[in-house]
Amino acid sequence: MTTPVYENFINGHFLKNQTGDTFAVKNPATDEVIYHVEIADEFIQNAAIESAKQGFAAWSAMTPIERSRILLKAVAILRDRNDELAKVEVLDTGKPWQEAECVDVETGADVIEYFAGLAPAQVGQQQMVGNDFYYTRKEPLGICAGIGAWNYPLQIACWKSGPALAAGNAVIFKPSEETPLGAIKLSEIFIEAGVPAGVFNVVQGAAEVGQWLTANPNIEKVSFTGEVGTGKKVMASAAGSLKDVTMELGGKSPLLVFDDADVSQAVSAAMLGNFYTQGEICTNCTRIYVHKNVYQQFIDELKTRTEQNIIAGDPMDPEVNLGALISKKHQELVLGYIDKGIQEGATLLTGGKALSPVSAPNGYFVEPTVFVDCKDDMTIVKEEIFGPVMSVLVFDDEDDVIQRANDTHLGLAAGVFTKDIQRAHRVIHQLQAGICWINSYGNSPAEMPVGGYKQSGIGRENGIETLDHYTQTKSIYVGMSNIESPF
Ligand code: NAD
């Protein structure tokens, strides 16, 4: 059976590359190639820049309310096609249908809707300075590049294009080479909604295509989602033409469970923050610090629920709640971390092996894995694993656990479970992380800014402030009297 071949999406239509080079995309749950994608060669790259220049001219000339109406049409189409798009995400990523069906498309659409609503509300300032005055305009940046990771491909494309387009920019988006189809679907939807050709372009490929985007002097900004190491390369390359950057990078986030917490709720949060999307979520609370008074209760309930309630298998089965990891290579990486945990003396509470479910025997599954008796200096406690691997640690002193939680170069997210409201806020204010939850974990509504402290990121996505990251301020001074000149 021949598989489809997708071309790059430039200037409102699919465009064939000249080299004929393609790459294959596999379904992680079956290990089968499901389609091929053409790599953006020099011809495509040049065409993308020309297309985005024209798209920018047309789009930035529209009023914000016109742009808003068109984006809201795209939102309606995204919601209408929820199931079709969710299936694309399941086949590309290996995540469970039961998640994609209610999260991936919906949270993407929510963000475009949010920024479409904000676009006409952006205002400048005006101030008198003596008899003269100045005013400011919020102008778009120009062509913005988006580079995505593979865990939430369509959502990432929406989170980057929503504010960029609302502010009047054109976008060239490069999805991860593991999951290229969601962005293609989004590009078609934008055209169908009435976004002018050239405003949203999709280029395909791996690191080399990403490098081209970050180095190209026609591009004003790069919004990147991916690993810390790649983020550093992107930022260094973007510095060559002094591009603005947004960096959404990795994490090793702590969850602190105090002895007055609702332990069952804390176990729910820990499981969500480690096993949802088979652990491939940047904000995951992979370091769980539990107060010694509730430690045994916590790990007993965690073990029971992990062993009884998790169903791995064909991700399209609506009963399945643990999908396949993105690739064989990533599965091996995660299993390597598990081996390291055992070697370094952590106790395996449950899991620890590759899985071969009956309904998806060739998929890249890993058992939901919990390590207890962990120490702060173990590799599994220090490094992002990006798989279903949780490390549980014990503590008995508030100040000490805050210091331990902060002892990392990462700072994406953090959480606290306690019924003492003063402690909840006191502790969370001291945790060095950009996205924090109290008695909750993982929710990320469009209204809430998200992004990392320390090496987990720069800038924010979502929330009102993000629109500022896609505009630049022009100040205009207006003279109301004759110029006094010494010349
Ligand atoms: P990755 O860094 O390997 O790749 C991300 C993207 O960068 C891909 O599109 C890739 O092709 C591209 N790329 C690779 N090298 C490049 C280069 N030199 N120049 C430009 N582009 C380049 O990350 P990944 O494995 O796709 O995603 C997993 C990582 O993403 C994890 O670390 C996770 O924590 C992080 N992540 C962060 C967030 C967040 O919002 N903070 C969200 C999702 C994922």
Side-chain angles (χ1 to χ4, degrees):
M1 201 179 78
T2 56
T3 57
V5 181
Y6 291 97
E7 296 168 355
N8 292 269
F9 195 89
I10 309 291
N11 203 22
H13 54 82
F14 288 101
L15 185 63
K16 205 162 180 41
N17 69 7
Q18 287 184 341
T19 57
D21 292 341
T22 62
F23 62 92
V25 178
K26 280 185 172 182
N27 176 346
T30 63
D31 190 40
E32 282 168 1
V33 172
I34 45 177
Y35 58 91
H36 288 82
V37 179
E38 288 196 355
I39 296 171
D41 57 10
E42 206 181 328
F43 167 72
I44 294 290
Q45 294 173 3
N46 292 336
I49 296 291
E50 281 318 305
S51 158
K53 279 184 183 167
Q54 286 169 27
F56 176 65
W59 187 238
S60 60
M62 288 178 156
T63 64
I65 200 104
E66 285 172 322
R67 292 200 292 264
S68 174
R69 281 190 202 116
I70 293 171
L71 291 174
L72 290 173
K73 277 190 201 147
V75 170
I77 301 170
L78 278 163
R79 294 211 172 109
D80 272 358
R81 304 226 181 114
N82 182 75
D83 288 6
E84 177 206 329
L85 297 165
K87 188 173 173 193
V88 166
E89 296 300 82
V90 172
L91 299 184
D92 268 10
T93 63
K95 68 173 63 185
W97 164 261
Q98 64 164 245
E99 293 181 15
E101 187 254 341
C102 63
V103 173
D104 291 59
V105 190
E106 215 164 279
T107 54
D110 285 353
V111 166
I112 299 179
E113 184 174 43
Y114 175 76
F115 286 109
L118 284 178
Q122 267 217 315
V123 290
Q125 296 173 323
Q126 180 275 332
Q127 190 178 17
M128 297 305 296
V129 277
N131 290 328
D132 297 349
F133 68 96
Y134 78 87
Y135 65 95
T136 61
R137 283 162 54 83
K138 289 283 186 188
E139 296 190 347
L141 301 172
I143 305 174
C144 299
I147 300 179
W150 42 256
N151 58 341
Y152 279 80
L154 179 69
Q155 185 208 62
I156 291 172
C158 292
W159 284 23
K160 295 197 186 302
S161 59
L165 298 189
N169 301 283
V171 170
I172 304 178
F173 187 80
K174 191 197 86 60
S176 165
E177 63 278 21
E178 313 268 10
T179 55
L181 192 48
I184 297 177
K185 295 282 171 195
L186 181 63
S187 64
E188 292 178 307
I189 288 171
F190 278 141
I191 290 293
E192 198 177 324
V195 174
V199 173
F200 185 78
N201 308 276
V202 178
V203 294
Q204 303 280 7
E208 353 43 90
V209 179
Q211 280 160 7
W212 160 72
L213 281 170
T214 59
N216 191 289
N218 295 291
I219 293 171
E220 301 293 340
K221 177 186 173 86
V222 181
S223 177
F224 173 80
T225 299
E227 288 178 7
V228 174
T230 320
K232 289 178 185 172
K233 289 184 199 159
V234 166
M235 201 166 159
S237 171
S241 47
L242 278 182
K243 293 186 199 335
D244 189 277
V245 290
T246 298
M247 294 277 148
E248 294 290 342
L249 309 176
K252 191 73 195 177
S253 301
L255 176 70
L256 278 46
V257 182
F258 285 89
D259 58 356
D260 61 350
D262 180 327
V263 171
S264 290
Q265 287 285 301
V267 169
S268 296
M271 290 179 72
L272 271 171
N274 280 274
F275 304 143
Y276 204 72
T277 317
Q278 53 288 332
E280 296 167 330
I281 296 187
C282 52
T283 49
N284 272 357
C285 46
T286 45
R287 294 184 291 146
I288 311 271
Y289 291 91
V290 185
H291 193 278
K292 69 175 185 348
N293 294 347
V294 288
Y295 185 74
Q296 198 56 47
Q297 186 190 348
F298 181 91
I299 62 172
D300 287 348
E301 183 171 338
L302 178 62
K303 180 173 163 65
T304 306
R305 287 172 58 182
T306 301
E307 289 174 357
Q308 289 180 359
N309 299 347
I310 292 189
I311 306 167
D314 174 3
M316 283 305 294
D317 176 347
E319 296 297 311
V320 163
N321 58 18
L322 187 88
L325 296 182
I326 190 68
S327 63
K328 182 91 194 143
K329 189 171 156 219
H330 191 56
Q331 182 195 36
E332 283 163 5
L333 186 90
V334 171
L335 291 170
Y337 271 113
I338 293 172
D339 285 348
K340 195 116 197 170
I342 296 166
Q343 278 165 28
E344 291 181 5
T347 306
L348 203 50
L349 182 73
T350 185
K353 295 192 292 296
L355 256 178
S356 185
V358 179
S359 59
N362 300 322
Y364 319 127
F365 294 84
V366 170
E367 286 178 333
T369 299
V370 180
F371 280 107
V372 295
D373 304 330
C374 295
K375 302 279 176 287
D376 294 291
D377 60 356
M378 289 176 172
T379 307
I380 53 166
V381 178
K382 290 171 91 83
E383 294 182 15
E384 185 184 47
I385 300 174
F386 223 55
V389 184
M390 183 192 310
S391 296
V392 186
L393 304 98
V394 66
F395 78 91
D396 65 359
D397 176 74
E398 181 182 306
D399 290 336
D400 183 51
V401 75
I402 292 169
Q403 188 268 323
R404 291 168 67 194
N406 286 336
D407 186 18
T408 163
H409 65 287
L410 300 170
L412 190 57
V416 173
F417 268 77
T418 174
K419 289 193 183 130
D420 176 340
I421 57 162
Q422 288 170 337
R423 171 155 59 199
H425 296 286
R426 181 175 68 234
V427 170
I428 218 89
H429 292 179
Q430 294 175 77
L431 291 175
Q432 295 161 352
I435 313 167
C436 294
W437 289 280
I438 294 174
N439 295 334
S440 178
Y441 209 86
N443 281 346
S444 195
E447 297 88 336
M448 185 172 94
V450 287
Y453 279 20
K454 302 197 240 182
Q455 291 188 28
S456 287
I458 293 177
R460 293 292 176 269
E461 290 193 319
N462 301 346
I464 290 176
E465 69 184 88
T466 294
L467 216 44
D468 286 336
H469 297 312
Y470 283 95
T471 53
Q472 50 198 341
T473 302
K474 178 177 281 177
S475 297
I476 300 149
Y477 187 99
V478 182
M480 298 294 286
S481 40
N482 289 336
I483 294 174
E484 283 178 27
S485 171
F487 307 113

